[in-house]
Amino acid sequence: MSHTDPRDFDTGLAPGDLDPARPRPLETPWGAFALFVVGERVLCVQSFCPHLGGPLFQGTVFGASVTCPWHEWIFSLETGTRLDLLGRILGGAKLIRCEVERSARGTIVLRAPDRRPVV
């Protein structure tokens, strides 16, 4: 990151602190979000499903998607878009995402989302 925006949130975590097999939930100034390791990337989406609040950080991760453990809604971790068949037909719910950057000291920094999660 070349500059520090006061709206950014430094998690204090380095990418090596994350377990690729287990998403990391965390509280941010904007609410509950979770960090997911996808290949060499760290992606950040809201922690709870917009449907009925299922814990996405406990969901099944496959590639760059997560399946909610409560009702099996599937979301893209890259775009937040709902990917399951009914979601593709009806559209609707989309996850709130934070862009992820690295600080000069190598920690994970989240950019403020456009809106806060509502669950």
Side-chain angles (χ1 to χ4, degrees):
M1 246 171 89
S2 57
H3 69 285
T4 302
D5 186 314
R7 296 171 299 170
D8 293 346
F9 175 68
D10 190 327
T11 65
L13 299 168
D17 295 334
L18 302 178
D19 179 351
R22 299 182 71 187
R24 176 81 170 252
L26 63 134
E27 279 299 319
T28 73
W30 323 291
F33 282 82
L35 300 174
F36 293 79
V37 177
V38 177
E40 299 296 316
R41 299 177 297 157
V42 175
L43 301 173
C44 181
V45 300
Q46 65 189 74
S47 288
F48 297 95
C49 184
H51 175 222
L52 289 174
L56 292 174
F57 59 91
Q58 294 177 351
T60 302
V61 178
F62 183 77
S65 68
V66 62
T67 301
C68 180
W70 286 7
H71 299 105
E72 299 183 359
W73 285 24
I74 303 169
F75 295 92
S76 167
L77 294 169
E78 296 171 316
T79 66
T81 304
R82 188 169 165 201
L83 301 174
D84 54 273
L85 181 59
L86 194 55
R88 289 195 319 253
I89 293 170
L90 300 177
K94 187 171 182 177
L95 296 181
I96 297 171
R97 300 177 48 254
C98 291
E99 294 300 320
V100 177
E101 298 184 12
R102 287 247 193 110
S103 70
R105 59 190 183 109
T107 55
I108 298 166
V109 175
L110 306 179
R111 303 294 310 237
D114 293 337
R115 57 194 170 95
R116 291 176 176 258
V118 177
V119 178

